[in-house]
Amino acid sequence: MKVNITETVLRDANQSLIATRATYSDFSEILETMDRAGYYSVECWGGATFDSCLRYLNEDPWERLRKIRDKLKNTKLQMLLRGQNILGYRHYSDEVVRKFVAHAAGGGMDIFRIFDALNDLRNIEVALDEVKKRKAHAQGTICYTVSPIHNLETYAKLGKQLEEMGVDSICVKDMAGIMSPKEAYDVVKALTESVKLPVFVHTHSTTGLGPMTYLKAVEAGCAGIDCAISSFSGGTSQPSTETLDYTLKQYGYDTGLKTEVLKEINDYFKPIKQKYIESGLMDPYVMGTETDALIYQVPGGMLSNLVSQLKAQNAIDKLDDVLKEVPAVRKDLGYPPLVTPMSQMVGVQAATNVLLGERYKTVSKEVKAYLRGEYGTAPGEINSDLMKKVLGDEKPIEGRFAESLEPEFEKTKKELGNLAKSDEDVLSYIAFPQIAEKFLKNREESKAVTVTYSIVKKEG
Ligand code: CO
């Protein structure tokens, strides 16, 4: 039986271990080798890469995509898309979502993994429709979480809904690395029994469960898993590609991978890893195993955020109280999966409740927007007292929030004038206005410098 392996070193491993700081030149020379490895796909774009290219690396993310496409001629390129949030943190108008998908597909993207933090599938509908129109592969995603209202039936139902929406495959996304081998086996079984589509599993090694989780997922009939080349694997990253390849082949599965090519790829990335360890960007903390997440049922990233928030307020002695408050807040909010942006909202609210000694004395504007329904429908029931306290007589919206948003593409394009050289520049600006503006202005200036330089050279 075939098990498809997606390599994440360029995106999720890069994001999880070195805060998405790998530059194009860090990996450009190994792309052609990666093209020979036999990967099902290479996840190389989306998530935080877009933001990071513009914010820290002075790279045009669109150009990066085209350059990767040029060198990975035979391997499918894959990206992570936050549905109606595209790659940002707010909802964008439908027209912007469509244009973004169209340009990504035009730049060579093959597989779009699309998710919504609340599993509110209305928020992935438009992106999905555009992916299908562009004849690319639409992978519908289920964010995995553990709560009293999430069970196998919930996941099977979400799978069925995704199938009806016309996705090409389904991904169970365990962003926190808390899905156990048993849970993975049961969820994949429940899904493969209720839908006819291939089911992929995505996890992280954070709690140490990852490799076992993948093995059981495969035994339950999962079609593919996400792995990272070993020097960029483990800890908050994915389980190692070579380790899974070795294990699965012994059990007679066909991974399609060429072991000797994987070795070449890993040898290439070893010194890159060393460089980031020496620069301090790769913190030993992210490479270790963090089992506290299993006790508190909160993602590792959320836990470390809480610790630093409380330290900053000189209240680290309140950590236990806050960790006890997290499930209470989560329950009040209808059990949202603890993924961006919900993990931040729940964490900050729990800390506020504890530090002020009173529940919901103050509520962030994000939580207010959430209660108004601007992020979508909560998986479970929201506490009605909380609703009343925060919204008063205001009624939460019932439709899809994006429907209330004005088209913004043409307007923004006009505003940008000559600064935007392409529709892609406009999309970068809409996604991250301040940092894209800075990037575009820098580009303009460096062009001016290059032109003067070449004139001087000619004259000289
Ligand atoms: Co991930």
Side-chain angles (χ1 to χ4, degrees), residues 375-399:
Y375 288 85
T377 305
E381 222 54 34
I382 294 179
N383 181 328
S384 55
D385 291 337
L386 174 62
M387 228 21 178
K388 229 187 215 136
K389 184 172 178 176
V390 176
L391 295 189
D393 290 334
E394 194 187 336
K395 284 259 167 303
I397 58 162
E398 276 169 12

Side-chain angles (χ1 to χ4, degrees), residues 131-159:
V131 169
K132 298 300 294 176
K133 265 194 194 146
R134 302 288 155 186
K135 306 258 180 299
H137 180 121
Q139 187 168 85
T141 307
I142 300 171
C143 291
Y144 182 78
T145 191
V146 179
S147 91
I149 62 156
H150 287 87
N151 51 41
L152 293 178
E153 254 169 71
T154 323
Y155 294 119
K157 206 173 131 198
L158 281 166

